[in-house]
Amino acid sequence: MNGWSLFALSILLLPVFAGRAPSDTRIESVPRPPTDARTALYPSNREPLAPSPFAKLPIGAVKPRGWLRHMLRLEAEGFVGHLTEISRWCKAEGNAWLSPEGKGHSPWEELPYWLKGFGDLGYVLGDERVTREARKWIEGILSSQRDDGWFGPRSNLTNVGGKSDIWPNMIAMNCLQSYYEFTGDERVLPLMTKYFRWQASVPEEDFIVGSWQKVRAGDNLESIYWLYNRTGEKWLLQVAEKVHRRTIDWTGGVANWHGVNITQCFRQPAIFWMQTKDKTFRQAAYRNYDTVMGLYGQVPGGMFGADENCRKGYDDPRQAAETCSMVEFMHSFEMLTKITGDPLWADRCEDVAFNSFPASRTPDLKGLHYLTAPNMVVLDAKNHSPGVQNGGCMLAYNPHSYRCCQHNVSHGWPYYAEELWLATADGGLCASLYCPSEVTAKVAGGAEVTITEETGYPFGQTIRFRVMAPKPVRFPLYLRVPAWCKGASVTINGKPVEARPRPLSYLVIDRTWPAEADGDVVALTLPMRLAVRVWKNNKNAVSVDYGPLTFSLKIGERWKRYGGTDDWPAFEVHPTTPWNYGLALDADHPEESIQVTRPEGGPKTPGRAITFREPPILLKAKARKIPEWDLDRHGLVAVLQPSPARTSEPLETVTLIPMGCARLRISAFPTVSTSPDARAWTKPAGPPKPAYPTTASHCHGGDTADALSDGLLPKRSGDHAIPRLTWWDHRGTSEWVAYRFKQPRTVSEAEVYWFDDTGRGGCRIPASWRLLYQDGEQWKEVKLAGGATYALQKDRFNKVTFEPVKTRGLRIEVQLRPDFSGGILEWRIGPKPSP
Ligand SMILES: [Zn+2]
């Protein structure tokens, strides 16, 4: 009698308990997998490190299918798969990362950032071309080690005021770790060992100095433990202690408010906890997360507002997260899942992966932008500073730009794919992140099983696992039950079994899985329901969830090419339909005012049924426009005002689509009411208008000549908070900028505020300048008043007075300093025309 018959018989023999698990089957809901054992099947923490509840499976053990495979294929065909042709930092010729002597261009983070995801992309897809290309770079790194242990570009040895910069090598080690997990290449462990010997030899005060590496050295720590778990050399733990001592203190609180630093480093104490086993450290990662999200993450989508840094007062849902922050947050959550065994981290990973991350790139993964926000209604190439912190273009999709994100985005989906399944310490397997996939791995006793996972998740609620074992084998199967899920249920071979999995737990099915050609089928149903979250700290705005998905207003998109190349174009996306809606919700049962629907006729593209291109689920909601809600003076959706907003606009039915499918989006909605008690909103001042039409010999893409007469005044010459004109990247040239007047007017004074970003960029006060006026078709220089000079001062207006001229145009000519560019923040002229 085979296993299946035994199982069926046991059900038949227990009619009173129909629905109960078969007698040899243990089904229970546990908050964490056990940590009192150490898996012998896969590398995990050795003594004296705290035992790992989960171990990562070797790369290649998990084969992603369905939408994730589709995404990874797009990534291979998109800019990630072709960055050597697009990015100058990935140009092979003369690249420092390919040189055995570590000499050449691009020695810093960009190449390893890209390689880190690119290599894994090849490994998880089994893509020959990508794996071969990655191998070339890996060989370059492997060939570059010096006798003292240093590897990679030599310039990094003296990069920080004469001291070493180990930040780029931290990323390079991630590349090597994955490569080793995939190939077992015998050169990797000795290289890393020798490199950490070098780290041990650096005098303490010279080790990890300067900002980036000091903040981010938790990454280095993780690589040390990875190596220790494979070689067991105890001195490595002393290097780990030294690294921890030299890292900025993330245990006492959030040590730095840069978005990527937070997403990458908030976890650092939990990594070190594995060595100390003092729970203060583990707890600090939880607390860091809560601190940041409490202040800047009161928005849907799993991210927080840090459009470079978190800034006091910039916590509205229009504040965005950098693409680097998304992939680093996901990676941190994946690590913390394995370190703590807490399913909360996997929930948080899915939140970012489904709701925020997909919109960071174009649907074909051929372009990306720097910033993605829950409320974002236009993706143009304009400067939105200081509404977003950085000046210049941050929102349009461009595969040639955004330097760090352009390279670092590569690891988002490949790492995610590797973490779908994990090994448990008790010889089982855990479906940690749900996705169509197949896993082949060793379980208790060393038997190898294959489990296929079929599901429409996150767009569907049933997940079917088929367990295929060569012979009957007993092992526990762990299934994560997300926090949002009440009433999860499970069947084995179609028969319901009694299990009441609690939200935020693992359902364990521990049994002897029969040897069957077709295998046993476990079906898990995670009922998805509509839920409305109220963001009290964001003016009582609401967001609408359905299971793990959050929904956004569907906004019509007009894609407009603005640059790039024909093969790799850059696009702006503009709205074609109104977006200024608030939701009209039934206050007592908000979710009852919303309907779940599927698009008519199903998704249009066969084979792409479930992707983030074509939403397979739509919601219909009642809404009214709020006429006062508009763009503000920064050209961004105006910050929310209190809900409910008063409006007498007609009630309409609007469509909501999954946030991840929405390139333009409102995801944190005001609520609306016609009641006189509701709050009247005020209309924001719109984008500033230039006083005069302005032309220039040249203007950098992210800048605007309109900045000169927009009335926004700088605080200093290095002020990045307001729009500017720069002649970047023209250097050392003669340039000009001119005002045109509709009617001739009399002018006798002018004052110029020069842009100068010394310490940050390549713009300086020019070498000289002069002022001309239009006389007929000619431009003539003005006659300066007695004693007046063309001043060249920083941090102030440089005023000249001259003999009055009546003219239709005024022009500034500058001679830029050799090797430098220049720019102007504001240019005022006088006197004011008499009325
Ligand atoms: Zn970035």
Side-chain angles (χ1 to χ4, degrees):
M1 194 178 278
N2 66 27
W4 158 236
S5 312
L6 262 176
F7 164 67
L9 188 65
S10 65
I11 293 276
L12 289 173
L13 290 177
L14 289 167
V16 184
F17 302 107
R20 264 220 182 144
S23 55
D24 88 318
T25 301
R26 173 177 66 97
I27 298 190
E28 60 175 327
S29 174
V30 298
R32 306 259 199 290
T35 51
D36 53 358
R38 285 174 194 268
T39 170
L41 299 170
Y42 293 105
S44 65
N45 280 352
R46 283 174 187 255
E47 293 279 2
L49 301 180
S52 318
F54 290 125
K56 192 181 172 207
L57 295 170
I59 301 177
V62 181
K63 293 191 172 58
R65 288 181 170 173
W67 67 265
L68 184 54
R69 186 169 180 84
H70 179 64
M71 285 298 223
L72 293 162
R73 283 267 28 120
L74 288 178
E75 194 157 289
E77 290 153 23
F79 70 88
V80 168
H82 293 277
L83 216 51
T84 52
E85 300 150 40
I86 299 172
S87 155
R88 68 181 169 89
W89 291 279
C90 298
K91 198 173 263 168
E93 200 184 326
N95 198 295
W97 291 97
L98 279 179
S99 154
E101 294 80 38
K103 291 204 173 79
H105 67 84
S106 308
W108 208 50
E109 66 182 11
E110 292 82 7
L111 191 281
Y113 255 167
W114 165 73
L115 183 59
K116 171 175 164 181
F118 180 77
D120 288 54
L121 175 65
Y123 313 149
V124 296
L125 268 182
D127 183 302
E128 272 276 315
R129 178 191 72 86
V130 174
T131 306
R132 200 170 42 218
E133 173 72 21
R135 179 68 181 262
K136 187 173 94 187
W137 295 90
I138 296 282
E139 288 295 336
I141 295 172
L142 287 170
S143 73
S144 70
Q145 193 161 39
R146 304 199 310 189
D147 288 345
D148 67 356
W150 178 266
F151 72 92
R154 304 299 189 252
S155 58
N156 293 330
L157 265 167
T158 50
N159 205 10
V160 184
K163 307 277 199 305
S164 57
D165 180 2
I166 65 169
W167 161 236
N169 280 3
M170 291 185 215
I171 315 168
M173 280 194 290
N174 288 155
C175 305
L176 293 175
Q177 288 166 228
S178 287
Y179 170 70
Y180 179 82
E181 288 177 25
F182 184 63
T183 64
D185 190 315
E186 287 174 359
R187 293 170 295 172
V188 172
L189 303 187
L191 178 139
M192 288 176 69
T193 304
K194 204 163 154 185
Y195 176 60
F196 289 127
R197 285 236 184 256
W198 172 84
Q199 290 195 356
S201 75
V202 179
E204 179 111 4
E205 64 277 15
D206 295 340
F207 189 48
I208 312 186
V209 293
S211 62
W212 243 214
Q213 56 179 341
K214 198 151 196 67
V215 175
R216 297 181 170 180
D219 280 31
N220 194 81
L221 198 58
E222 189 270 336
S223 295
I224 295 176
Y225 295 143
W226 182 93
L227 182 63
Y228 172 71
N229 288 332
R230 282 160 180 80
T231 67
E233 293 190 38
K234 286 259 167 30
W235 59 269
L236 285 166
L237 299 180
Q238 286 163 15
V239 186
E241 278 171 13
K242 177 174 170 181
V243 169
H244 176 74
R245 282 196 302 275
R246 300 297 295 166
T247 308
I248 197 170
D249 177 23
W250 288 95
T251 311
V254 178
N256 181 285
W257 289 94
H258 179 266
V260 185
N261 286 344
I262 291 171
T263 53
Q264 182 176 353
C265 309
F266 81 97
R267 67 171 190 255
Q268 189 274 347
I271 307 227
F272 193 56
W273 165 80
M274 298 193 290
Q275 185 167 356
T276 66
K277 295 179 237 173
D278 171 350
K279 62 179 189 299
T280 316
F281 288 99
R282 190 176 53 184
Q283 218 38 48
Y286 282 83
R287 190 225 37 232
N288 287 344
Y289 176 88
D290 289 344
T291 303
V292 172
M293 297 306 277
L295 290 169
Y296 299 99
Q298 296 301 297
V299 295
M303 294 301 303
F304 58 92
D307 36 26
E308 193 62 36
N309 296 290
C310 292
R311 292 178 293 159
K312 276 213 170 70
Y314 290 86
D315 50 13
D316 184 86
R318 79 171 188 184
Q319 301 312 137
E322 188 181 329
T323 301
C324 282
S325 294
M326 297 188 197
V327 293
E328 294 293 350
F329 230 8
M330 286 163 63
H331 189 200
S332 291
F333 298 151
E334 287 152 7
M335 279 190 203
L336 289 167
T337 302
K338 295 194 293 265
I339 292 170
T340 65
D342 187 344
L344 185 61
W345 298 114
D347 274 22
R348 288 170 174 172
C349 190
E350 287 191 345
D351 195 2
V352 175
F354 300 152
N355 297 309
S356 290
F357 184 47
S360 66
R361 281 181 280 181
T362 55
D364 59 7
L365 305 195
K366 288 190 172 172
L368 84 160
H369 60 187
Y370 197 69
L371 296 175
T372 305
N375 286 358
M376 187 165 234
V377 298
V378 59
L379 306 180
D380 58 21
K382 287 187 183 150
N383 183 345
H384 297 279
S385 169
V388 302
Q389 189 174 6
N390 291 325
C393 171
M394 291 284 127
L395 308 184
Y397 288 124
N398 189 339
H400 305 273
S401 188
Y402 310 121
R403 191 164 166 174
C404 54
C405 304
Q406 179 194 18
H407 299 84
N408 195 18
V409 69
S410 62
H411 74 254
W413 289 130
Y415 278 19
Y416 191 84
E418 290 166 22
E419 304 275 343
L420 300 177
W421 288 89
L422 299 170
T424 59
D426 55 356
L429 289 171
C430 174
S432 179
L433 301 165
Y434 292 122
C435 182
S437 60
E438 177 182 302
V439 60
T440 300
K442 284 177 282 189
V443 291
E448 194 169 80
V449 300
T450 294
I451 304 176
T452 57
E453 177 177 349
E454 286 173 20
T455 179
Y457 189 91
F459 303 106
Q461 59 184 16
T462 301
I463 307 157
R464 290 159 54 86
F465 303 93
R466 186 180 290 275
V467 181
M468 288 170 288
K471 56 180 181 171
V473 54
R474 186 176 187 102
F475 72 92
L477 177 66
Y478 286 76
L479 307 175
R480 181 175 61 89
V481 182
W484 51 262
C485 181
K486 294 193 181 75
S489 62
V490 70
T491 65
I492 301 178
N493 295 327
K495 301 262 188 316
V497 292
E498 190 168 304
R500 295 211 174 85
R502 289 183 296 277
L504 205 61
S505 71
Y506 293 99
L507 178 70
V508 192
I509 306 175
D510 184 8
R511 68 192 299 251
T512 302
W513 303 90
E516 281 280 323
D518 290 333
D520 268 6
V521 174
V522 173
L524 173 70
T525 301
L526 302 172
M528 296 184 181
R529 292 190 181 86
L530 282 167
V532 170
R533 277 183 286 177
V534 179
W535 302 100
K536 263 199 341 221
N537 293 348
N538 254 322
K539 317 271 178 32
N540 285 322
V542 296
S543 56
V544 181
D545 302 324
Y546 184 66
L549 299 175
T550 299
F551 282 73
S552 299
L553 179 71
K554 182 179 184 182
I555 301 173
E557 298 173 0
R558 181 171 61 86
W559 288 64
K560 182 184 155 207
R561 181 165 168 197
Y562 78 98
T565 60
D566 287 350
D567 286 340
W568 301 101
F571 290 100
E572 296 188 325
V573 188
H574 295 267
T576 59
T577 54
W579 52 261
N580 56 340
Y581 288 100
L583 296 182
L585 297 175
D586 170 351
D588 297 324
H589 304 283
E591 62 286 349
E592 284 175 17
S593 1
I594 302 165
Q595 268 185 309
V596 181
T597 66
R598 307 263 160 180
E600 275 173 41
K604 285 178 225 79
T605 323
R608 288 189 181 173
I610 297 163
T611 69
F612 288 90
R613 183 195 287 264
E614 296 176 43
I617 306 179
L618 307 174
L619 305 184
K620 298 284 180 188
K622 298 284 183 211
R624 293 176 198 271
K625 286 190 190 125
I626 304 170
E628 296 80 8
W629 200 15
D630 206 341
L631 297 182
D632 76 350
R633 71 182 181 90
H634 307 299
L636 297 168
V637 49
V639 296
L640 294 170
Q641 297 173 50
S643 283
R646 190 162 76 212
T647 173
S648 53
E649 292 291 305
L651 194 65
E652 298 177 50
T653 300
V654 293
T655 302
L656 311 186
I657 59 175
M659 237 181 131
C661 307
R663 269 65 202 176
L664 302 178
R665 32 156 76 170
I666 294 293
S667 317
F669 291 89
T671 60
V672 287
S673 165
T674 52
S675 154
D677 300 335
R679 300 289 290 264
W681 281 28
T682 50
K683 204 172 173 75
K689 300 228 168 27
Y692 318 106
T694 311
T695 53
S697 55
H698 170 72
C699 180
H700 174 57
D703 298 335
T704 170
D706 290 347
L708 273 55
S709 62
D710 64 4
L712 298 176
L713 301 185
K715 293 200 175 72
R716 59 192 169 276
S717 284
D719 196 339
H720 284 72
I722 60 165
R724 60 183 177 254
L725 164 139
T726 70
W727 290 287
W728 183 258
D729 53 351
H730 294 192
R731 299 184 183 89
T733 46
S734 296
E735 304 288 344
W736 58 264
V737 58
Y739 283 162
R740 304 275 174 177
F741 311 125
K742 285 195 190 88
Q743 303 294 331
R745 64 174 280 183
T746 303
V747 214
S748 63
E749 53 191 59
E751 41 186 350
V752 186
Y753 209 115
W754 302 110
F755 177 69
D756 183 317
D757 57 359
T758 299
R760 179 163 167 178
C763 289
R764 299 291 181 274
I765 307 271
S768 64
W769 66 291
R770 61 186 194 133
L771 200 65
L772 301 98
Y773 68 98
Q774 195 175 3
D775 182 11
E777 293 303 303
Q778 291 190 320
W779 290 95
K780 294 183 177 165
E781 187 170 354
V782 299
K783 291 198 176 69
L784 293 190
T789 57
Y790 292 114
L792 291 156
Q793 302 277 313
K794 242 187 185 179
D795 302 331
R796 44 160 283 198
F797 275 104
N798 292 268
K799 185 168 178 176
V800 284
T801 50
F802 47 89
E803 283 181 15
V805 289
K806 192 164 190 181
T807 180
R808 299 185 81 97
L810 212 57
R811 183 167 175 168
I812 293 175
E813 264 184 24
V814 304
Q815 175 59 48
L816 299 173
R817 288 199 219 172
D819 300 330
F820 288 105
S821 191
I824 297 176
L825 289 157
E826 195 74 7
W827 171 21
R828 298 194 294 212
I829 57 172
K832 288 214 169 72
S834 45

